[in-house]
Amino acid sequence: MAPAIVHFLVGAALVLLLVTPLALRYRLPTWLPLWLVAVGGLWGLFPDIHHIAPVYETELYAFHNSQWADLFAFHYTLDRPAVRARYNGSIFWSIVLFLAASATFTAAAAANARTAVDETPAPHLVALATATIPALLVGVAAVGGPF
């Protein structure tokens, strides 16, 4: 089983990467990134709810050990023995993934804020490619690194 911090950081990073195109297109509130990290992290941790649930512990544990848990930020995949054997590596690469996703989201939000102030139209397709594609490549490398 991967450490809880790995599940939290991978979930938070995936949510930030999913919302990055919206940050390029729309001016988002300043409080939103913090909530995206919190909600994404909890989304990644959700299959571990069997540890604290007062009811349905057996059913929740069965869900945790099924491939359906991959719907929650690759939870099942991160709990495989290959990742479990690389404890420090999984923590390191989840931190790298989270930092890359945070930097990508921040750059996208800053690019949108800059173009809104200048009132010049931004080439959103080019900005989307330059912000999202490198982050996805880092994410793929980070997820594939522990394996």
Side-chain angles (χ1 to χ4, degrees), residues 1-56:
M1 178 168 163
I5 190 70
V6 172
H7 294 300
F8 185 89
L9 290 175
V10 170
L14 290 176
V15 168
L16 283 176
L17 288 176
L18 287 174
V19 179
T20 296
L22 293 176
L24 281 170
R25 180 74 174 130
Y26 303 107
R27 190 174 184 102
L28 300 175
T30 56
W31 51 265
L32 186 65
L34 181 61
W35 281 102
L36 289 174
V37 169
V39 169
L42 292 174
W43 169 62
L45 282 172
F46 183 76
D48 283 332
I49 198 166
H50 66 89
H51 291 296
I52 60 170
V55 294
Y56 300 114

Side-chain angles (χ1 to χ4, degrees), residues 2 11 14 16 23 25 29 43 45 60 74 77 79 84 105 113 117 124-125 138 140 142 146:
L14 290 176
L16 283 176
R25 180 74 174 130
W43 169 62
L45 282 172
L60 290 171
F74 305 109
T77 301
D79 281 346
R84 194 177 317 143
F105 181 84
V117 170
H124 291 295
L125 195 55
V138 169
V140 168

Side-chain angles (χ1 to χ4, degrees), residues 83-103:
V83 178
R84 194 177 317 143
R86 294 170 179 86
Y87 184 86
N88 292 334
S90 65
I91 294 173
F92 172 78
W93 285 110
S94 66
I95 292 170
V96 169
L97 174 65
F98 178 73
L99 291 176
S102 298

